[in-house]
Amino acid sequence: AQKITQTQPGMFVQEKEAVTLDCTYDTSDQSYGLFWYKQPSSGEMIFLIYQGSYDEQNATEGRYSLNFQKARKSANLVISASQLGDSAMYFCASLKTSYDKVIFGPGTSLSVIP
Amino acid sequence: DSGVTQTPKHLITATGQRVTLRCSPRSGDLSVYWYQQSLDQGLQFLIHYYNGEERAKGNILERFSAQQFPDLHSELNLSSLELGDSALYFCASSVGRGSVYEQYFGPGTRLTVT
């Protein structure tokens, strides 16, 4: 079965610094997608970035980039130039294209320090 | 604003009761997903509908049921409610099924069972 592991329950980063949130996944599928979502204290889930298993280049969306290492089954989120508003829970998730079951990791709580 | 709407935003009810949560997907999205987020279980996938048909089931209890109507809105019915059903219930929508597309989440319905 698919499984997402996020080994960092909580992290701190200084404002304006870059931070990497770890995500590893366990799948035997060849085709899949990996996502990152942000959940601020207000509760909504905000889509950040997506990486397809066949994409050769790492995905980037503004200050977010996904460091995709397929052989290591890792999909780490890099946030550059952290802002106070980045303080939130971050969830890594995967989607099996053939069965459409989305699996979420346990999340990492990021706190940005001024 | 993701374009996904959920009603009600908050719901407080007693054990044994039945409630209905409603979700309207983004314009043009055919897929609707339901998730449950609780402190002890994290974010769990419940069920996926595509264009009115059930496509995938996750950790959905038999006391729970869902459907997607011809206008593509979806309802999640929770019956014989227990204290442990208290959670944040999210609906998400995406363009299609099979291929991987990002899912956009609604604001959630916070259910409290007393």
Side-chain angles (χ1 to χ4, degrees):
Chain A
Q2 277 198 326
K3 184 180 177 183
I4 300 286
T5 301
Q6 294 179 254
T7 58
Q8 308 150 313
M11 287 197 67
F12 292 89
V13 64
Q14 204 75 36
E15 195 178 4
K16 299 179 186 175
E17 297 292 311
V19 63
T20 298
L21 307 184
D22 294 342
C23 171
T24 57
Y25 58 95
D26 180 16
T27 181
S28 56
D29 296 294
Q30 296 300 309
S31 179
Y32 52 89
L34 297 157
F35 302 84
W36 278 91
Y37 286 87
K38 171 185 177 182
Q39 187 177 37
S41 57
S42 51
E44 72 265 35
M45 293 286 284
I46 303 167
F47 166 73
L48 295 179
I49 197 166
Y50 160 76
Q51 179 85 41
S53 58
Y54 292 119
D55 295 341
E56 294 187 355
Q57 293 201 330
N58 287 340
T60 60
E61 290 284 348
R63 294 186 300 110
Y64 304 108
S65 61
L66 201 153
N67 184 359
F68 182 47
Q69 298 187 43
K70 196 170 181 177
R72 298 179 62 182
K73 295 188 176 178
S74 75
N76 298 338
L77 177 70
V78 180
I79 305 175
S80 62
S82 297
Q83 302 172 356
L84 296 178
D86 294 335
S87 294
M89 281 291 287
Y90 288 81
F91 292 94
C92 179
S94 71
L95 175 63
K96 293 168 63 173
T97 57
S98 57
Y99 297 107
D100 304 323
K101 292 185 180 179
V102 182
I103 308 297
F104 281 85
T108 294
S109 176
L110 177 66
S111 298
V112 180
I113 304 167
Chain B
D1 186 348
S2 67
V4 180
T5 60
Q6 286 186 251
T7 56
K9 193 163 185 177
H10 300 278
L11 198 50
I12 301 174
T13 188
T15 54
Q17 295 298 304
R18 173 190 169 95
V19 297
T20 297
L21 313 183
R22 184 188 167 102
C23 167
S24 292
R26 293 186 320 158
S27 177
D29 284 358
L30 300 178
S31 273
V32 170
Y33 303 78
W34 285 98
Y35 297 90
Q36 178 194 59
Q37 186 178 33
S38 60
L39 284 175
D40 55 342
Q41 298 284 336
L43 199 56
Q44 299 277 322
F45 165 74
L46 294 178
I47 199 163
H48 167 219
Y49 277 85
Y50 173 78
N51 203 19
E53 293 186 24
E54 180 187 307
R55 290 301 183 180
K57 257 185 176 178
N59 302 320
I60 188 165
L61 300 171
E62 283 191 15
R63 300 183 286 108
F64 296 0
S65 65
Q67 58 184 126
Q68 186 179 27
F69 294 87
D71 67 351
L72 301 177
H73 91 272
S74 178
E75 293 181 356
L76 179 67
N77 300 296
L78 315 176
S79 62
S80 303
L81 285 167
E82 302 175 359
L83 295 177
D85 297 328
S86 295
L88 188 53
Y89 291 85
F90 285 108
C91 151
S93 76
S94 74
V95 171
R97 180 191 74 84
S99 298
V100 179
Y101 300 97
E102 57 268 29
Q103 298 182 10
Y104 292 90
F105 281 67
T109 293
R110 186 167 295 281
L111 173 67
T112 303
V113 182
T114 62

